[in-house]
Amino acid sequence: MKGASQVDWAISMGLFLIYVLGLIVFLRPGLQPVLENDLLLSVVKNNLEKDVNVKIQKIPLFINISDYTKQSPPNSGVYKIEVNDPLPFEGQESEFAILDNENRFVNFDLTGDKKLRFDGEVVTNKMNIFWILFFDNNTYNNQNPTQSVSINNEKNFSYSYGVTEEIRGFSYNNLLNLEQNISKLKQNWNFPIDKDFSISLINTTNSQYNQTNIIFSYNQKESLQQTDVYVKEWKSWIINEKAELYGVILNVRVGEFEQ
């Protein structure tokens, strides 16, 4: 009886292995295209993020005009505020900007020795907060300070910098400035020339959206029939020059777009 059960077990295992091998052989012809297109989707996603993603550093600047150890603490008002110490951050003047506590750009410039000057409203008996933005390779359209009455940290106020925050997202301008020649972009991204891809930006994070939500598209061929097309969608963030984030969806299609 023991020998018979072992024979039955061996036959059962043999049949199971034949079934598994047959299943692999049956599925394999359809498995390779799926893996290939998954790889192509990753190629587009990774290159897209590399080309359009940016980082903005946001540094709080605290100003106290009620520091009575200073020679002449001023009254509340709008002044040309001067920090007579070099800005302890690297970068060109056009890569910096300053926001007030209502998230508005203020008139701002840097002296030749990197000292801050900007127009701002300060109030007594509170910590006044401004935000310094650093956006590498960006060009802020800063206007020079215009206030006639100046205050500075040597005579009128004390100040300190807070912890730098790094805010990441993708630049809509970078997206608009993608190489418009699809063949060149394929070459830049090491994407097969005989395959195709398209990109859409959807102005929502809701997975249920319609055509009116699409605010950007690249290489869309709406009049063409798309066959063997694979799709990848993911949620992301647009970042603007004030370091504000807006949720969106990116949609990428790869495959063969045919007439």
Side-chain angles (χ1 to χ4, degrees):
M1 294 294 292
K2 184 176 181 181
S5 64
Q6 289 178 341
V7 170
D8 291 341
W9 178 85
I11 292 172
S12 298
M13 283 300 297
L15 291 173
F16 175 73
L17 290 174
I18 291 171
Y19 170 77
V20 170
L21 288 173
L23 187 63
I24 291 174
V25 170
F26 176 75
L27 291 177
R28 187 169 181 177
L31 188 60
Q32 184 173 351
V34 173
L35 295 175
E36 178 184 350
N37 284 287
D38 279 345
L39 177 61
L40 293 180
L41 286 168
S42 296
V43 168
V44 176
K45 181 177 186 291
N46 293 339
N47 280 284
L48 177 63
E49 291 180 338
K50 176 174 66 69
D51 284 0
V52 304
N53 280 10
V54 295
K55 174 184 70 177
I56 299 180
Q57 293 179 308
K58 189 174 183 180
I59 308 112
L61 170 61
F62 303 101
I63 291 181
N64 178 17
I65 64 170
S66 300
D67 184 348
Y68 297 105
T69 66
K70 296 297 180 177
Q71 179 180 337
S72 303
N75 296 319
S76 300
V78 179
Y79 301 96
K80 182 190 297 182
I81 300 170
E82 300 178 348
V83 178
N84 291 331
D85 300 309
L87 186 68
F89 309 105
E90 296 299 322
Q92 304 298 316
E93 178 181 329
S94 62
E95 298 173 319
F96 288 97
I98 297 182
L99 300 173
D100 64 15
N101 62 359
E102 295 186 9
N103 209 38
R104 299 173 300 192
F105 286 115
V106 301
N107 296 334
F108 150 80
D109 70 1
L110 277 176
T111 65
D113 49 359
K114 292 195 70 175
K115 295 177 181 178
L116 282 176
R117 299 188 303 189
F118 62 95
D119 292 335
E121 182 179 8
V122 285
V123 180
T124 58
N125 299 317
K126 67 174 290 187
M127 190 63 71
N128 300 278
I129 303 178
F130 297 88
W131 301 92
I132 300 173
L133 303 178
F134 174 69
F135 191 170
D136 192 18
N137 293 320
N138 186 60
T139 301
Y140 283 109
N141 296 316
N142 293 307
Q143 304 294 319
N144 292 332
T146 60
Q147 293 300 312
S148 57
V149 179
S150 300
I151 58 174
N152 65 69
N153 62 295
E154 294 175 347
K155 296 181 180 180
N156 310 115
F157 62 84
S158 57
Y159 79 96
S160 62
Y161 295 107
V163 176
T164 299
E165 179 183 6
E166 291 188 352
I167 305 171
R168 299 174 183 269
F170 75 84
S171 164
Y172 186 67
N173 286 336
N174 286 359
L175 195 60
L176 294 177
N177 291 328
L178 282 176
E179 171 61 61
Q180 293 303 300
N181 185 316
I182 185 68
S183 297
K184 287 184 179 179
L185 191 59
K186 287 179 183 180
Q187 183 178 4
N188 294 341
W189 287 3
N190 293 318
F191 190 90
I193 196 68
D194 61 335
K195 293 285 187 177
D196 225 328
F197 69 84
S198 66
I199 301 167
S200 297
L201 174 65
I202 298 95
N203 189 26
T204 180
T205 56
N206 190 337
S207 58
Q208 302 296 321
Y209 59 85
N210 54 47
Q211 289 294 315
T212 61
N213 298 121
I214 298 176
I215 58 174
F216 170 85
S217 60
Y218 183 90
N219 196 39
Q220 290 289 347
K221 300 179 178 179
E222 296 178 0
S223 62
L224 304 183
Q225 181 181 359
Q226 300 181 7
T227 62
D228 297 326
V229 173
Y230 291 76
V231 181
K232 186 179 187 69
E233 284 190 349
W234 69 97
K235 293 180 181 180
S236 188
W237 300 95
I238 289 180
I239 186 170
N240 65 16
E241 289 189 328
K242 291 184 176 181
E244 297 168 320
L245 295 173
Y246 300 90
V248 292
I249 292 174
L250 283 163
N251 174 294
V252 169
R253 298 169 181 262
V254 303
E256 300 173 3
F257 299 176
E258 299 178 351
Q259 287 189 341

